[in-house]
Amino acid sequence: AETAIADAKEKIATVTDELSALEIGIKALDKSVAEATEQRQAENAEYKELMSSDAAAKEVILFAKNRLNKFYNPKLFKAPPKQELSAGDRVYENMGGEITTQAPGGIAGTGIAVLAQVSAHTQRGE
């Protein structure tokens, strides 16, 4: 009977040790998951910023290309769309009034509001 009790106590001690080892493993896994999540969120924010910068750069390039086409290749130039006047504005203009247009905003009057900011990248010694 005493050997059975000793065996049971030994098994309980073994199971307790295994449980504590599992708890330590779970805590380490939770920590690594949290770190990986933080890294993915940072990478996602960087990716979104890069994509918006790329889109702005493409817009500026297309605008510049169209301006160059105006001078060098007029057949390919795409004129900006004519602004449609409201009925009241047409009446005002027909009566001799001058309708002022809103000044184009953005970079150099292009209407493009965002320009990617480029910074120097430094390499760390490994």
Side-chain angles (χ1 to χ4, degrees):
E2 288 182 23
T3 58
I5 292 174
D7 285 343
K9 285 183 179 180
E10 186 178 317
K11 288 181 182 178
I12 290 173
T14 304
V15 170
T16 305
D17 290 343
E18 289 175 359
L19 281 175
S20 65
L22 284 174
E23 285 179 7
I24 292 170
I26 289 172
K27 287 180 183 178
L29 183 62
D30 284 344
K31 182 180 177 185
S32 68
V33 166
E35 289 172 355
T37 300
E38 185 178 319
Q39 180 183 358
R40 281 193 307 274
Q41 288 174 343
E43 288 172 354
N44 185 33
E46 185 179 322
Y47 173 78
K48 286 181 180 179
E49 182 180 333
L50 176 69
M51 288 296 110
S52 68
S53 297
D54 284 354
K58 286 178 187 176
E59 196 174 336
V60 169
I61 288 171
L62 288 175
F63 179 80
K65 182 179 173 185
N66 194 39
R67 280 281 176 100
L68 289 171
N69 280 337
K70 182 177 182 180
F71 183 74
Y72 291 109
N73 198 353
K75 292 178 185 174
L76 296 178
F77 175 69
K78 296 175 188 165
K82 298 281 184 185
Q83 188 174 8
E84 191 68 31
L85 296 177
S86 68
D89 287 343
R90 278 185 294 210
V91 169
Y92 179 74
E93 190 176 60
N94 289 336
M95 297 298 284
E98 187 175 323
I99 298 176
T100 58
T101 58
Q102 184 178 5
I107 300 167
T110 62
I112 298 168
V114 177
L115 183 63
Q117 182 169 345
V118 179
S119 61
H121 295 277
T122 57
Q123 221 173 9
R124 291 185 287 202
E126 294 182 29

